[in-house]
Structure formats: structure tokens, C-alpha cells
Amino acid sequence: MKTYKIDAIVLKSRDMREADKILTVYSIQRGKQRIVAHGAAKPNSRKRGAVQPFCFSEFMLHRGRELDSISQAELREGFTELRLDLDRITAAAYAAELMDGFTAEGEPNPSIFSLFYSTLHLIAVGYQSVMILRAFEAKLLGYSGLQPELNRCGACDTEIRDTKVFFGPQQGGLLCQECAGLEKKALKFSRGTIEILKTLYRWELTKLHQLKVPIALQQELNTLMRTYMEYHLEKRLKTTEFMDRLHKTNLYGGTNI
């Protein structure tokens, strides 16, 4: 078929020539893919409202040699509230960058789509972004097959019972004290931080407003998740750099985002 329909959220867009845009989207039907929106940058374009980052839209696509192009676009949910607040739109951009980093083109996953959609919705309506983002990170890692081991040593399989625990990104989870001594990049955390992370895996996103987490543990959890994700992505995310500059701290978990 020369045309087909997808229901997708726009992860990012970039200009191509004067009036065209290349979008990276994540759809229910096809997962992540790049598509072309011809003329979308024109002020009077009918596609303009549906192709903005973080919009959930229905696209009718026409197959092309390299990239498929949008023939029709209908906005379904614009998450307008995101664009009224710098913290919210930064949080949305961070989630979108993680989606781009941890998903492969042409591999649809309904659970990942639902997670991303729910995350954008909760951030837009004013849920505290900090724990929503930590839960998004945790669940996205889980759906990507990268959920860390939080009960036993990732090196020797010993059960971890200590109050202070060590985490090894390369080993994919906790380390016992003996194995941590052999790993230069092992990080030390409070047991409470690990218990909070376990809770994030168990709870639905809509319950997280009930979770009261001290700032110190928020910061530890942020450090743990950022280190683990950057290890797998093999790079630092652009949005975390912006968060650090915006809030004049290297721990964005201690702020509203």
C-alpha cells in the first residue's frame, strides 16, 4: 500500500530546506520512525499544529524512497499546558530524548507508548515532575530489557542486606561490599534510595503523588538513574545539561524537574 495511517507522538523535529521538517515520532503501530512534513513550517500550513514536539497526532503517510511523508495530519492531543511552563516543557523534552535514545526504529511497543503518553499527560496537568521522571526512567529501562538488579550482587549473586549499598552500572545493578571494592566506578547509596526505586517499578504513575521522598534521597536516586542510563547510551543527554545550567546544579532531581 502506498499510504498508511499511524497514531504517533512527535519526539523531535528539525528543519529541512525552507518550509519542510523531518520529524522523529513514536507510534502505536510502528514504534519509532522518521517522517517528512512538507510545508509544515509555513505559517498557514494545516499540518503545523499537529507536527509540534510532544503532540499526539494521527498521520496519513505516503511511502517514499527514503522517508515516508505526511499527506494528512490531525492533532489529537497537544498537551498545551506543557508549553506554558519552562520546567514542564523541559521535563517533556527530557522524556522525549530518552524515548529517542532507548528505542530502535521499526520496533513498536504498546507499553512504551502508553508510558510516554501517560508521562506527558501527568507532567502537563501539574504532577510533580521529579518522581514522574524517575518512574519514567525506571519503567523505560525495564521495557527495554535493562532493569537493574536490586536484590542481589550483579557480580557474585550474593543477596544484599547492608544498610549502605553499592551500585555498578557495568554489572547492571547492586554490588556487595567485596565486589564493589574491585570496581572503580561503583557508587554508594542509602538502602532507602533502592527501596524507592523498587517502589517506582511496582506503582502506577498516577499513585506517585502519594510518595513522599526526602530531597537527599531524590538526589541519590537521580544520580543513580542518570549514571546508569548514560552508561547504556554511552553519552550525556543534551536535556540534562540544560537542566543543570537552568537550575545551577548537577542534580536536577532536587528541583521541580
Side-chain angles (χ1 to χ4, degrees):
M1 295 178 65
K2 292 185 177 181
T3 61
Y4 62 95
K5 186 186 76 171
I6 62 172
D7 303 292
I9 300 175
V10 180
L11 302 182
K12 63 181 181 180
S13 78
R14 64 179 178 86
D15 294 335
M16 183 183 75
R17 296 190 287 271
E18 290 186 7
D20 303 337
K21 289 184 176 292
I22 294 181
L23 311 181
T24 301
V25 303
Y26 193 92
S27 72
I28 299 171
Q29 296 87 350
R30 292 173 172 258
K32 187 172 74 173
Q33 69 182 112
R34 292 187 305 141
I35 57 179
V36 180
H38 292 294
K42 295 179 179 179
N44 60 347
S45 172
R46 294 183 179 180
K47 303 172 187 175
R48 188 178 179 90
V51 301
Q52 301 303 313
F54 325 128
C55 284
F56 175 39
S57 302
E58 180 182 290
F59 296 119
M60 184 65 71
L61 300 180
H62 185 275
R63 295 190 185 278
R65 288 186 178 180
E66 297 182 4
L67 297 177
D68 298 345
S69 61
I70 300 172
S71 56
Q72 296 179 34
E74 181 180 349
L75 178 67
R76 297 181 63 179
E77 175 59 66
F79 299 109
T80 307
E81 299 90 341
L82 289 176
R83 303 165 210 285
L84 304 178
D85 181 274
L86 182 58
D87 283 347
R88 293 184 197 182
I89 200 166
T90 303
Y94 174 69
E97 189 175 7
L98 286 180
M99 283 287 292
D100 192 25
F102 280 101
T103 58
E105 290 196 26
E107 296 182 6
N109 186 316
S111 296
I112 289 180
F113 180 91
S114 178
L115 172 66
F116 186 44
Y117 179 91
S118 298
T119 298
L120 291 180
H121 171 71
L122 292 174
I123 293 172
V125 299
Y127 271 59
Q128 187 187 26
S129 299
V130 55
M131 295 312 297
I132 294 294
L133 287 181
R134 297 297 83 77
F136 175 77
E137 295 164 347
K139 294 177 186 294
L140 181 61
L141 286 168
Y143 291 139
S144 302
L146 298 170
Q147 181 171 330
E149 170 56 54
L150 302 176
N151 295 299
R152 309 185 72 85
C153 177
C156 70
D157 201 39
T158 301
E159 186 176 359
I160 306 295
R161 297 179 177 273
D162 300 330
T163 303
K164 291 291 183 180
V165 296
F166 297 89
F167 188 89
Q170 187 171 355
Q171 289 78 14
L174 299 188
L175 296 174
C176 67
Q177 189 167 356
E178 184 175 349
C179 292
L182 303 175
E183 174 55 56
K184 294 181 180 180
K185 295 184 179 180
L187 304 172
K188 190 175 183 179
F189 297 102
S190 304
R191 164 64 68 174
T193 299
I194 302 303
E195 294 305 318
I196 292 167
L197 182 53
K198 290 180 182 179
T199 301
L200 297 184
Y201 277 110
R202 294 195 307 268
W203 284 20
E204 297 294 329
L205 293 179
T206 51
K207 289 181 60 179
L208 292 179
H209 66 281
Q210 303 174 28
L211 191 61
K212 307 302 180 184
V213 183
I215 292 296
L217 296 189
Q218 289 185 30
Q219 293 175 342
E220 280 197 5
L221 183 59
N222 171 68
T223 299
L224 188 159
M225 297 304 290
R226 181 185 289 197
T227 302
Y228 189 51
M229 291 184 300
E230 290 180 353
Y231 169 77
H232 284 288
L233 292 174
E234 298 182 340
K235 65 177 182 179
R236 192 177 186 201
L237 297 167
K238 294 179 180 178
T239 42
T240 58
E241 294 178 356
F242 177 75
M243 289 175 180
D244 291 345
R245 292 197 305 271
L246 181 63
H247 297 283
K248 297 181 180 179
T249 174
N250 12 332
L251 291 172
Y252 64 86
T255 70
N256 291 331
I257 40 179

